[in-house]
Amino acid sequence: MNAPLKRVAVACLVMFGLLMLNVNYLQAVRADGLRSDPHNVRNFYARYEVERGRITAGDKVLAESVDTGDNQFRFQRRYPGGKIYAPITGFFAPESERDMEAAENPLLNGSSPDLLIRRGLDLITGERTKGANVDLTINPRAQEAAYRALSASGKKGALVAIEPKTGAILAMVSVPSYDPNTLVGPDKATVNKAYNKLDKDEDKPLVDRAIERSYPPGSTFKVVTLAAYLDSDDSVGPQTQVDAPQVLDLPNTSADLPNYGGAACGSGRVTLTFALERSCNTPFAKIAMSLGYDAMKEQAEKFGIGGEPLKIPMDVAGSGIGPEEDLAALAQTSIGQRSNQMTPLQMALVAAGIANDGVVMKPYLVNKIADAEGGEIDSADPDKLSTAMSEENANKLTEMMVSVVSNGTANAAQIPGVSVAGKTGTAETVKGRAPHAWFISFAPAEDPKVALALIVESGSAGDDASGGHTAAPIAKSVMEAVLGR
């Protein structure tokens, strides 16, 4: 071969090598960046080519794809439940998705490996690829009752209801909410304008307060303190007498811890049942200081507090009682203040654990997944999260919580013919704002079908009784919906 031909051959080999390197670089290194590049309109159009699977709650459709007939934007998402279910479904927008639409996106858009056989059959038959359908554990009656009641309060807040024996989430409401139908069109400019308006709203409707935000739990946390006390001594029970001073002198500080308004708690020495009924602060603070930080932290962890972050499958914000400080800080922690921070979901797990004889089940939202033809791909398999307390101690605590509803601060949660267990709470918040109103509950107490926690932001006049007047009736309406009352 003469020299010119050799040079041409070498040049061709070099160019071919460079071409192969460039192809591999683009496919292996820059693929994700190119795929997400805003100038790549191919992926933008592709988002609308697939008929995404439905999101349902039993027979109720929460999200579905509608055929528009447009060749470029063939399928558009629709949310029949609107604001009521938005914190659960989330939305599928031109460039993003969130909540259930994001958590189960590979299944909904048909790209999941679990749908490989289905895609293969579609390829053979020439059928258009469809996503899988995701059925949720949500009870529509409970969800809608909770949304109506919380919205009617005129306050911001959240509620989570759980089936104690399985961990299935029956309702998950956050107020204020938003209409996901405003965020689904193919016009990016219109959708971005609607999203930015929601994002800048001072009331933060895009935030799911049930799982994305934590709050001081107030006196609802006293059931955790009480669980730790019951665990410390087998002889402790509902009629055990404890000191209940009007004001508790906090050690190593000039501060005092009073009962609400400085009121007396009985005669200064009361039963545990009475202390829980009246939600006295001082006896629970004394109990926590006698137990110590380690015992309190251990008990909290048994309820799942401070452990690995939960996924339902959406990510859940962490909860915790805060770092170890001194006895004065521990006294405040024991009544749900100081650094004590809980999500509504976590407090619902506390209620559910007591209801389920001391066993806390892992919370979950997905009941079943099926392909477009109805073939089951996966279904829920309830699993234990932890054992929070013995069955004996759970029964003791249940007895006291029933008395809170029958004779104490939560009588607004009473349901005729049903034994209801509960605990009210009031949590101090930002100076100048009214305290948050909390309520945790389960029913029927002897065979619980539903356990729940709810918070009404700045919904209390300051005492646990007023917190019960605000939050307990909302809980009652949800429990009645689950129980078919």
Side-chain angles (χ1 to χ4, degrees):
M1 184 181 292
N2 59 31
L5 286 176
K6 285 183 180 180
R7 285 195 291 269
V8 171
V10 170
C12 288
L13 286 172
V14 170
M15 287 189 290
F16 183 75
L18 290 173
L19 179 62
M20 293 302 296
L21 284 172
N22 186 54
V23 167
N24 282 281
Y25 172 69
L26 291 174
Q27 291 183 344
V29 179
R30 294 197 59 201
D32 288 339
L34 292 171
R35 190 178 298 112
S36 59
D37 191 310
H39 295 96
N40 183 0
V41 295
R42 179 179 178 183
N43 283 330
F44 174 55
Y45 293 140
R47 286 174 69 82
Y48 294 88
E49 288 178 359
V50 176
E51 183 177 354
R52 288 173 70 83
R54 292 176 298 161
I55 300 175
T56 59
D59 294 333
K60 191 173 188 68
V61 177
L62 310 184
E64 63 183 348
S65 290
V66 179
D67 192 339
T68 65
D70 188 312
N71 289 330
Q72 285 186 325
F73 305 109
R74 182 68 181 271
F75 294 101
Q76 185 169 306
R77 217 59 171 146
R78 188 173 76 92
Y79 300 93
K83 293 182 177 182
I84 300 174
Y85 296 92
I88 300 170
T89 61
F91 57 80
F92 181 77
E95 297 176 296
S96 65
E97 55 280 326
R98 64 169 291 162
D99 300 320
M100 193 59 69
E101 290 278 25
E104 300 291 4
N105 187 48
L107 285 161
L108 290 167
N109 70 16
S111 65
S112 170
D114 292 335
L115 295 170
L116 184 61
I117 295 176
R118 182 73 258 166
R119 289 199 301 272
L121 292 173
D122 289 341
L123 186 63
I124 294 170
T125 61
E127 292 290 328
R128 179 185 290 271
T129 298
K130 296 180 181 180
N133 299 317
V134 178
D135 183 55
L136 306 182
T137 58
I138 292 297
N139 179 321
R141 282 169 55 94
Q143 180 78 10
E144 290 163 23
Y147 182 81
R148 285 194 302 268
L150 264 174
S151 297
S153 73
K155 302 282 188 178
K156 296 184 283 289
L159 178 145
V160 178
I162 293 174
E163 186 176 63
K165 291 180 174 63
T166 64
I169 296 174
L170 304 176
M172 193 170 80
V173 170
S174 179
V175 173
S177 187
Y178 65 97
D179 184 0
N181 291 296
T182 63
L183 303 172
V184 299
D187 188 321
K188 294 182 184 180
T190 301
V191 170
N192 288 338
K193 182 179 179 181
Y195 179 87
N196 290 334
K197 182 179 179 181
L198 290 168
D199 189 47
K200 293 175 182 177
D201 190 324
E202 291 183 357
D203 289 335
K204 299 299 179 185
L206 290 172
V207 174
D208 185 349
R209 289 169 163 80
I211 61 173
E212 293 180 356
R213 181 170 287 183
S214 60
Y215 306 83
S219 292
T220 58
F221 191 78
K222 288 173 182 173
V223 300
V224 178
T225 302
L226 196 44
Y229 189 38
L230 291 169
D231 186 61
S232 71
D233 186 345
D234 291 341
S235 67
V236 173
Q239 298 309 309
T240 297
Q241 295 272 330
V242 291
D243 290 335
Q246 185 171 348
V247 177
L248 181 64
D249 182 25
L250 297 177
N252 303 317
T253 177
S254 59
D256 294 325
L257 178 66
N259 297 311
Y260 176 74
C265 182
S267 59
R269 189 164 174 79
V270 300
T271 65
L272 286 175
T273 297
F274 184 92
L276 197 68
E277 285 176 357
R278 301 297 184 271
S279 200
C280 305
N281 290 333
T282 58
F284 292 98
K286 283 180 68 69
I287 286 170
M289 289 193 295
S290 68
L291 293 174
Y293 177 83
D294 289 343
M296 289 293 293
K297 182 182 180 184
E298 181 181 350
Q299 182 60 66
E301 288 174 345
K302 288 179 180 179
F303 279 108
I305 299 167
E308 288 293 318
L310 295 168
K311 292 178 75 71
I312 61 170
M314 295 96 84
D315 292 333
V316 180
S319 297
I321 67 170
E324 183 175 9
E325 297 178 73
D326 54 21
L327 288 178
L330 183 59
Q332 294 173 320
T333 297
S334 72
I335 61 170
Q337 295 289 168
R338 194 69 179 191
S339 300
N340 202 333
Q341 291 283 312
M342 302 287 151
T343 61
L345 173 60
Q346 179 59 67
M347 289 311 297
L349 288 180
V350 170
I354 299 167
N356 193 35
D357 295 330
V359 177
V360 183
M361 301 298 287
K362 287 183 180 178
Y364 64 94
L365 258 175
V366 177
N367 175 48
K368 183 174 65 175
I369 298 170
D371 64 26
E373 303 303 318
E376 186 173 299
I377 296 170
D378 196 11
S379 61
D381 184 16
D383 191 17
K384 185 175 84 170
L385 179 66
S386 62
T387 298
M389 57 199 310
S390 68
E391 181 178 348
E392 180 183 2
N393 286 340
N395 289 337
K396 291 176 182 178
L397 189 45
T398 295
E399 179 184 331
M400 288 183 268
M401 292 175 70
V402 168
S403 195
V404 171
V405 176
S406 300
N407 307 306
T409 56
N411 52 33
Q414 293 179 10
I415 301 173
V418 178
S419 180
V420 179
K423 180 68 190 83
T424 55
T426 298
E428 299 295 331
T429 181
V430 179
K431 189 176 181 180
R433 293 186 182 178
H436 299 321
W438 276 92
F439 187 57
I440 63 172
S441 186
F442 56 89
E446 64 279 3
D447 184 22
K449 299 295 190 296
V450 56
L452 59 79
L454 74 108
I455 181 172
V456 181
E457 293 184 17
S458 300
S460 173
D463 64 330
D464 282 336
S466 66
H469 293 324
T470 303
I474 298 172
K476 175 184 177 180
S477 66
V478 176
M479 288 187 287
E480 288 177 326
V482 174
L483 300 176
R485 293 278 174 151

